[in-house]
Amino acid sequence: MVRKTSLFFNTTKHLLSSIIKKPSSYNQRQLLYSCCNSSSWTLLALSSNGPLSEALFEMVKQGLQVKFKEYDTLLNECIDQMAIREGQRIHAHMIKTHYQPPVYLRTRLIVFYTKCGLLGDARWVFDEMPKRNVVSWTALISGYSQKGHVSEAINLFVQMLRSGTAPNEFTFATVLTSRTGAVGFHFGRQIHCLLVKSPFGSHVYVGSSLLDMYAKAGKVHEARYVFENLPERDVVSCTAIISGYAQQGLYEEALELFRKLQAEGMSSNYVTYTSVLTALSGLAAVEQGRQLHAHTIRLELPFYTVLQNSLIDMYSKCGKLTYSRTIFNQMSERTVSSWNAMLVGYSKHGMGKEVVELFKMMREENKIKPDGITLLAVLSGCSHGGIEDKGVKIFNDLSTGKDSVEVSIEHCGCVVDLLSRAGKVERAFQFIKEMPFQPTAAILGSLLGACWAHLYVDIGEIVAKQLLEIEPENAGTYVILSNMYASAGRWEDARRVRELINERAMVKESGKSWIGPNFIREAERIMQKHNGMSN
């Protein structure tokens, strides 16, 4: 008898486990309900293994019987699946049944709403909490920070301090990522002062956030000081300091630090290599870039999109556009940054035809929407490629179409430069009068140079007058105006402008060039090699 009973329970257990995994049919669900002694167990099983819709149906069916454990399981599933409607129904059920959630469940609601982008609902839950803890404050601060609402995150942190709730390491790490601009940096310095007085100043996550704050603000020396004083370093902190040097244009320092940390046994990830590639791009060090590329392949490192974008950018800046295009073509997934990196590469090398063809391919694929950088790259490529009509058409399409790009003064400057280079001075002048921005000195200077080159004296006089109102002490404007008069045979006007230059004691700044130390060393090496071969 005992053996039969044991066999019955084992059989029943096996049957229930197979039903719980996928209670798809009506009969299976009915069998599950009839075999379970606890309705709570049924709801938990459906929440973990069944469709959310069935779990919610069971929640409504149980009504007042739903308690903490069931709500917690349901909310966790909604957070994992980002199921907005289902999570809202769970919250509504709590309200209708007059259930008073503890702090933990209310915090889970905040996490749910922030993850789904419903910050207003998250703030409502937070404001209605009769009692809060550090996790509740940190959850909402993190939500504001991740969505870019910097001032709200900072204000909430200040309210937290005034309420007497002590922040923890996660709060500090979160709020340090919320600073931006001069005000945000000033606030970050104040957070640093708090950290000195707290036990979390030496925490690796907090330290990484702190040095990242200084690095992004251009304070690389302060960032290095924080880095050197960390009691322990991880890949995040090492990558942050290398990235800080690279983003500030201190490329050689970034590479030197990378080599030093590699010798010390630092582990690197794809973000680390991305930062190093930024430094190599700035130095146009193609050989080191190839070595790093080969190194990532030998390590069998996952080629995330951001790493592939950096490789495209590095090869493009080094003039190896064939390599760039090969990587671009092999990408399984492309972002707008991928397209932009390739377009900018072609544009910088004056390959206007390739720019237009790649942009056409982007539009035909119709997966990624162009942005402002895309438009700048295309306009610049068309300007240097001598296909101004195509560039103007693309500008008109992207500034007015369904996928319209927000036009900036830089885009307008590119159009003026494009038309000026093509000798279409009248169109460029008319475009300046119609554009929604006040022309800058750079835009007017570009048009004035075209007026001189193509002898549009009347337009040139108007443009020069506007330019002198912006930069009255710019001797270059007077020189171009004088040369334009001379080219048109108006010698008296040319002499008058020259006299103004002398009267005002203005001197046109001479052109200068700069050759970096790496170029000099490479040139010396080539010369030595050449001399050795000659001997």
Side-chain angles (χ1 to χ4, degrees):
M1 181 67 182
V2 174
R3 184 178 178 183
K4 289 183 179 179
T5 304
S6 176
L7 180 62
F8 169 78
F9 278 113
N10 288 334
T11 305
T12 305
K13 182 178 179 182
H14 176 73
L15 177 62
L16 286 176
S17 64
S18 64
I19 295 173
I20 292 172
K21 287 180 181 178
K22 190 176 180 182
S24 55
S25 68
Y26 175 80
N27 291 333
Q28 285 178 326
R29 291 196 299 272
Q30 291 300 316
L31 182 59
L32 172 63
Y33 298 154
S34 61
C35 291
C36 295
N37 296 323
S38 172
S39 58
S40 174
W41 192 88
T42 305
L43 180 54
L44 291 174
L46 285 173
S47 301
S48 302
N49 301 289
L52 269 174
S53 58
E54 296 189 7
L56 293 179
F57 177 79
E58 179 63 21
M59 176 188 72
V60 174
K61 181 180 176 182
Q62 293 185 19
L64 296 173
Q65 298 178 22
V66 182
K67 300 299 180 185
F68 172 85
K69 192 171 183 180
E70 294 82 2
Y71 280 130
D72 184 34
T73 305
L74 285 167
L75 273 177
N76 286 332
E77 285 299 315
C78 291
I79 291 171
D80 292 340
Q81 300 180 29
M82 291 185 68
I84 298 177
R85 295 291 297 275
E86 289 79 0
Q88 289 173 329
R89 288 179 62 186
I90 295 167
H91 189 190
H93 189 269
M94 292 180 183
I95 297 171
K96 289 180 180 178
T97 57
H98 300 286
Y99 177 74
Q100 295 298 320
V103 176
Y104 172 82
L105 274 186
R106 293 178 191 269
T107 304
R108 297 304 291 167
L109 281 170
I110 292 173
V111 172
F112 162 72
Y113 281 124
T114 54
K115 188 174 181 180
C116 295
L118 302 174
L119 291 177
D121 293 334
R123 186 57 186 261
W124 184 85
V125 173
F126 180 82
D127 291 339
E128 292 294 316
M129 292 179 72
K131 185 179 179 182
R132 302 162 185 154
N133 59 18
V134 63
V135 182
S136 311
W137 288 95
T138 304
L140 190 56
I141 291 171
S142 176
Y144 279 129
S145 177
Q146 291 175 5
K147 298 301 178 181
H149 299 280
V150 177
S151 59
E152 289 85 348
I154 293 175
N155 290 334
L156 197 62
F157 179 75
V158 174
Q159 292 178 34
M160 176 185 177
L161 295 177
R162 289 173 178 171
S163 71
T165 305
N168 60 17
E169 65 270 27
F170 300 107
T171 315
F172 280 118
T174 299
V175 79
L176 280 170
T177 62
S178 302
R179 76 287 165 277
T180 182
V183 176
F185 175 70
H186 178 69
F187 180 75
R189 294 289 295 269
Q190 294 178 327
I191 298 296
H192 192 181
C193 293
L194 284 176
L195 284 169
V196 172
K197 304 172 184 177
S198 76
F200 306 115
S202 60
H203 197 282
V204 63
Y205 298 133
V206 178
S208 298
S209 299
L210 189 61
L211 73 89
D212 183 62
M213 177 201 74
Y214 281 119
K216 288 182 177 177
K219 308 293 183 180
V220 289
H221 296 296
E222 289 86 343
R224 184 63 178 266
Y225 175 81
V226 173
F227 178 76
E228 295 294 347
N229 286 279
L230 285 175
E232 59 176 317
R233 301 166 184 168
D234 62 357
V235 65
V236 177
S237 56
C238 293
T239 301
I241 188 64
I242 294 171
S243 176
Y245 276 116
Q247 289 173 1
Q248 295 303 317
L250 302 171
Y251 305 126
E252 293 184 351
E253 291 83 349
L255 293 177
E256 181 183 351
L257 182 60
F258 174 70
R259 295 189 190 102
K260 177 184 175 183
L261 293 176
Q262 283 276 18
E264 293 176 359
M266 175 192 73
S267 61
S268 303
N269 59 18
Y270 74 98
V271 183
T272 315
Y273 290 114
T274 299
S275 301
V276 177
L277 283 169
T278 301
L280 293 173
S281 299
L283 295 172
V286 66
E287 288 303 322
Q288 291 93 323
R290 282 175 175 168
Q291 293 174 17
L292 191 68
H293 187 186
H295 185 62
T296 58
I297 294 173
R298 286 196 300 271
L299 291 176
E300 297 182 350
L301 200 67
F303 273 86
Y304 294 101
T305 305
V306 64
L307 179 58
Q308 292 176 307
N309 293 344
S310 295
L311 285 168
I312 293 171
D313 181 64
M314 185 272 296
Y315 282 123
S316 296
K317 288 181 178 176
C318 294
K320 304 295 182 180
L321 290 166
T322 303
Y323 292 169
S324 297
R325 188 58 185 264
T326 300
I327 296 171
F328 179 84
N329 290 339
Q330 291 175 350
M331 294 179 73
S332 58
E333 180 183 359
R334 303 184 185 111
T335 64
V336 67
S337 298
S338 311
W339 292 94
N340 289 344
M342 199 68 240
L343 286 167
V344 169
Y346 281 137
S347 176
K348 284 188 174 181
H349 290 82
M351 304 172 70
K353 182 180 178 182
E354 286 78 3
V355 169
V356 172
E357 288 178 353
L358 187 63
F359 179 74
K360 181 181 178 182
M361 175 181 166
M362 179 184 187
R363 301 300 284 159
E364 289 176 349
E365 191 173 294
N366 199 27
K367 292 181 179 178
I368 302 295
K369 180 181 176 181
D371 63 6
I373 299 175
T374 312
L375 182 55
L376 279 175
V378 173
L379 290 174
S380 179
C382 291
S383 176
H384 295 287
I387 41 179
E388 64 281 351
D389 290 333
K390 190 69 177 177
V392 172
K393 183 179 184 305
I394 292 173
F395 174 81
N396 292 331
D397 290 343
L398 286 186
S399 59
T400 58
K402 64 176 183 178
D403 292 333
S404 61
V405 173
E406 184 177 354
V407 175
S408 66
I409 187 68
E410 287 79 12
H411 298 119
C412 295
C414 281
V415 174
V416 172
D417 181 68
L418 184 149
L419 293 172
S420 298
R421 286 175 182 270
K424 299 183 179 181
V425 176
E426 293 177 345
R427 284 183 63 185
F429 184 57
Q430 185 64 29
F431 180 84
I432 288 177
K433 291 195 292 185
E434 294 175 354
M435 69 182 189
F437 306 99
Q438 287 295 324
T440 63
I443 292 175
L444 293 173
S446 174
L447 183 56
L448 181 60
C451 291
W452 173 29
H454 301 282
L455 286 182
Y456 281 85
V457 181
D458 294 339
I459 296 177
E461 287 178 320
I462 298 172
V463 173
K465 181 180 178 181
Q466 295 177 355
L467 191 54
L468 289 173
E469 290 176 357
I470 300 174
E471 296 180 341
E473 300 302 322
N474 188 348
T477 304
Y478 289 95
V479 172
I480 294 176
L481 184 60
S482 174
N483 292 338
M484 183 176 64
Y485 282 140
S487 299
R490 294 170 56 174
W491 301 107
E492 185 63 27
D493 292 329
R495 184 184 60 80
R496 178 174 52 82
V497 174
R498 288 288 177 177
E499 289 177 352
L500 283 174
I501 296 176
N502 295 331
E503 288 175 5
R504 300 180 182 182
M506 290 186 295
V507 179
K508 186 177 184 297
E509 186 177 352
S510 301
K512 299 176 182 178
S513 63
W514 181 86
I515 299 177
N518 288 337
F519 181 85
I520 295 174
R521 286 195 292 267
E522 184 67 15
E524 290 174 348
R525 187 186 65 79
I526 294 172
M527 290 296 294
Q528 290 173 359
K529 182 179 179 181
H530 177 73
N531 293 335
M533 291 175 64
S534 299
N535 295 332

